[in-house]
Amino acid sequence: MTLLPAVRSRDEADLYLELHPCPRCGSMEATWEEAPTVQGTRPAYRYSGHCADCGDRREFVFALPEGQPAPAAPG
């Protein structure tokens, strides 16, 4: 798990994910699940999934801007 700087939108998080390929095989493809979480006392959003090519588990946690509540889980 890697704690990242705050992202202001889902688009920023998606762009980050697209620019960081799998460290094991270099694939850009993954199916991401997303969920609100808390990192320490700060609201955050967790993206987790598996690489489409090698199957390695990948996870990123994005801190939300100060004062912004964690969004509801996607329906």
Side-chain angles (χ1 to χ4, degrees):
M1 176 177 66
T2 304
L3 179 61
L4 302 174
V7 292
R8 296 169 292 196
S9 69
R10 183 177 177 179
D11 288 339
E12 285 183 349
D14 287 344
L15 179 60
Y16 185 92
L17 297 173
E18 289 176 15
L19 294 174
H20 289 81
C22 175
R24 180 175 178 199
C25 72
S27 173
M28 299 297 286
E29 301 300 319
T31 301
W32 298 104
E33 294 182 12
E34 50 191 277
T37 188
V38 175
Q39 189 72 31
T41 59
R42 190 167 183 184
Y45 223 71
R46 178 185 317 273
Y47 284 76
S48 60
H50 291 87
C51 175
D53 290 343
C54 72
D56 262 12
R57 179 166 166 67
R58 302 182 64 205
E59 182 175 276
F60 296 94
V61 176
F62 296 95
L64 299 176
E66 289 291 334
Q68 182 176 335

